[in-house]
Amino acid sequence: MLDNMIFKQLMKHSFTIPVEVTYPNGKTEKYGNGAPQVKIKVNEKIPVKDLLRNASITLGEAYMDKKIEVSGSLQVLINSAYESANSFLNNNKFKRFLPKQSHSEESSKNDVQSHYDLGNDFYKLWLDKTMTYSCAYFEKPDDSLEEAQMNKVHHILKKLDPKPGSSLLDIGCGWGTLMLTAAREYNMNVVGITLSEEQYNAVKQRIKDEGLEDQAEVLLEDYRELDHLPFDYITSVGMFEHVGEENLGEYFNTISRYLKSNGVALIHGITRQQGGAYNDWINKYIFPGGYVPGLNENLTHIIESGMQVADIEMLRRHYQRTLEMWTDNFHKVLPEVRKMHDERFIRMWDLYLQACAASFESGNIDVIQYLISKGPSARTLPMTRDYMYKD
């Protein structure tokens, strides 16, 4: 009885939009003014002790297991919960973080492979043709996802102001679009590094197919173990979120060590302006070992590693839109996904995509590009930002 009362109070104060909730006993309650924008059906009792222990995992698993069903947009519902000061996502009584995690080279390899080695065929279903699994950059309102992803690649490379024949290291190279564009269109000598065997094999084949063997190389190893000469430029997209809180300093020190004097790096990653945080459900089911660092945290590590900041750009709205497009694509190919995975996996992945979109929409997390240099800030770069936007 007490559990039911507490759970109802939790639902009553958790959303800024009108919501209808149907409880396991069949009774329906409406919260907020106006017609419900989202309807929630609670099929089984959710123990309050589990919510207090870890609301993120408890509610995430309840959705995966159909103990909770939602009619309407998950993104709208979760964004509303982020916007409510009294929701389980903001109330300190319900916030729980995981204990310190291991990020040894072996654990990092296992963490990356558990996500990215789900199979290239899975990602091909709902990513665009570039196979880019990071925030796109929408220059025009009607940009397609593929256009926006290529916009992002060129936006990053233009920020570096690269010289033909110069060297580029791409840490966490994904399926190779950025590094191979740098080789093919900017005449750079590139090295990409990944821990994903699926990505490594795909990039290696792309290098061969595009005839770029003399300019491009991909390595399957930990970024900390690279045995190469320093580079003129470094890019790293969507990488530092995987290294762990305790290894952020080492990550930026490694970038500094791999950069030539006055070299330039563009680091692109998910950052919280409010300070670093874990998400327990995402850590358990999507990105083991993940940690989203705070803005001040990253800036401190950059400076302590002997580098300086030349430019910072926030792309939060771009990632929200990227995730919304991925969600639409994912929904369109569900018949194909069901041939590969069960319904629990599908509900898990749908929740992940929409919850992340809501998190960016609400400003709970951001994605930021850090343009940094080894030595005085932007010593080798043009005086104004105009060069970043010229063809």
Side-chain angles (χ1 to χ4, degrees):
M1 183 68 177
L2 183 61
D3 271 4
N4 289 337
M5 291 174 60
I6 296 175
F7 190 77
K8 286 185 177 182
Q9 284 299 308
L10 178 67
M11 290 293 102
K12 182 178 180 180
H13 296 289
S14 281
F15 306 106
T16 58
I17 60 171
V19 171
E20 179 182 287
V21 182
T22 301
Y23 292 97
N25 61 6
K27 291 186 177 179
T28 296
E29 300 280 354
K30 292 182 181 179
Y31 305 110
N33 298 320
Q37 292 186 29
V38 178
K39 296 182 180 180
I40 302 170
K41 185 180 180 185
V42 184
N43 294 319
E44 294 185 28
K45 175 183 171 183
I46 309 294
V48 169
K49 64 179 179 62
D50 292 344
L51 285 169
L52 291 172
R53 185 182 303 118
N54 198 303
S56 176
I57 288 180
T58 298
L59 293 174
E61 289 179 341
Y63 181 78
M64 290 162 61
D65 296 329
K66 290 190 176 182
K67 294 179 181 178
I68 293 177
E69 296 184 81
V70 175
S71 298
S73 170
L74 278 171
Q75 179 181 339
V76 168
L77 181 69
I78 297 170
N79 179 58
S80 171
Y82 276 120
E83 290 182 342
S84 171
N86 295 314
S87 80
F88 57 88
L89 293 176
N90 294 314
N91 192 316
N92 286 330
K93 293 180 181 179
F94 297 102
K95 286 185 176 180
R96 296 291 184 272
F97 296 119
L98 292 176
K100 190 174 182 179
Q101 301 164 53
S102 167
H103 282 86
S104 65
E105 292 182 15
E106 183 62 29
S107 66
S108 293
K109 180 179 180 180
N110 292 336
D111 291 346
V112 168
Q113 291 181 351
S114 72
H115 185 83
Y116 294 99
D117 284 352
L118 285 170
N120 291 341
D121 289 343
F122 171 68
Y123 289 103
K124 283 179 182 177
L125 287 175
W126 52 275
L127 294 180
D128 65 285
K129 291 180 180 179
T130 70
M131 288 293 284
T132 305
Y133 187 30
S134 57
C135 174
Y137 183 69
F138 295 88
E139 294 181 350
K140 300 187 296 295
D142 59 349
D143 278 341
S144 68
L145 182 57
E146 182 178 354
E147 289 170 334
Q149 291 292 8
M150 290 309 303
N151 292 343
K152 187 265 302 294
V153 168
H154 289 292
H155 192 50
I156 287 173
L157 293 172
K158 286 178 181 178
K159 283 186 175 184
L160 298 175
D161 193 34
K163 305 300 184 285
S166 57
S167 58
L168 169 72
L169 170 65
D170 190 18
I171 300 176
C173 66
W175 283 276
T177 295
L178 188 153
M179 61 176 281
L180 297 183
T181 300
R184 186 177 57 250
E185 300 187 36
Y186 293 77
N187 195 25
M188 302 178 76
N189 298 306
V190 303
V191 174
I193 188 166
T194 181
L195 283 174
S196 165
E197 291 186 7
E198 291 271 346
Q199 291 179 344
Y200 168 77
N201 291 330
V203 176
K204 195 171 183 179
Q205 188 62 49
R206 286 188 67 182
I207 292 172
K208 182 179 179 181
D209 292 344
E210 297 183 30
L212 294 171
E213 292 96 330
D214 292 338
Q215 284 182 263
E217 179 183 10
V218 62
L219 303 173
L220 181 65
E221 61 181 78
D222 190 279
Y223 76 98
R224 293 167 283 194
E225 297 299 321
L226 187 62
D227 184 20
H228 277 59
L229 294 173
F231 294 83
D232 297 302
Y233 306 98
I234 292 177
T235 52
S236 188
V237 179
M239 172 69 185
F240 62 59
E241 306 94 314
H242 300 292
V243 305
E245 181 179 7
E246 73 279 12
N247 285 332
L248 274 171
E250 181 182 18
Y251 169 79
F252 286 106
N253 282 332
T254 301
I255 290 172
S256 181
R257 178 161 53 91
Y258 290 161
L259 268 181
K260 292 181 180 179
S261 179
N262 295 317
V264 179
L266 191 289
I267 311 302
H268 167 124
I270 299 171
T271 309
R272 288 189 84 241
Q273 296 201 31
Q274 306 91 326
Y278 297 96
N279 180 283
D280 297 4
W281 180 82
I282 287 180
N283 276 52
K284 182 175 181 178
Y285 288 100
I286 307 295
F287 287 114
Y291 170 75
V292 176
L295 175 59
N296 289 344
E297 194 175 2
N298 279 341
L299 294 177
T300 297
H301 287 306
I302 288 169
I303 293 166
E304 289 180 347
S305 68
M307 300 184 290
Q308 292 192 8
V309 178
D311 191 81
I312 293 179
E313 183 176 11
M314 284 66 173
L315 300 177
R316 177 185 63 80
R317 293 167 65 193
H318 293 265
Y319 216 162
Q320 176 192 340
R321 188 166 181 180
T322 302
L323 281 153
E324 289 169 351
M325 291 180 127
W326 284 344
T327 300
D328 289 342
N329 289 348
F330 185 73
H331 289 169
K332 289 174 183 175
V333 298
L334 283 179
E336 294 302 313
V337 177
R338 287 192 172 95
K339 296 176 183 177
M340 302 177 180
H341 300 284
D342 62 19
E343 200 65 26
R344 191 173 193 262
F345 175 93
I346 290 170
R347 291 175 69 84
M348 175 186 77
W349 209 262
D350 193 24
L351 176 59
Y352 155 62
L353 292 173
Q354 295 199 58
C356 286
S359 201
F360 282 108
E361 182 179 6
S362 66
N364 178 58
I365 53 177
D366 207 328
V367 63
I368 298 177
Q369 289 187 348
Y370 305 82
L371 184 63
I372 56 183
S373 58
K374 187 173 181 179
S377 64
R379 173 181 276 172
T380 63
L381 297 176
M383 291 284 282
T384 73
R385 287 177 170 175
D386 291 350
Y387 78 97
M388 299 180 185
Y389 304 100
K390 292 179 179 177
D391 290 333

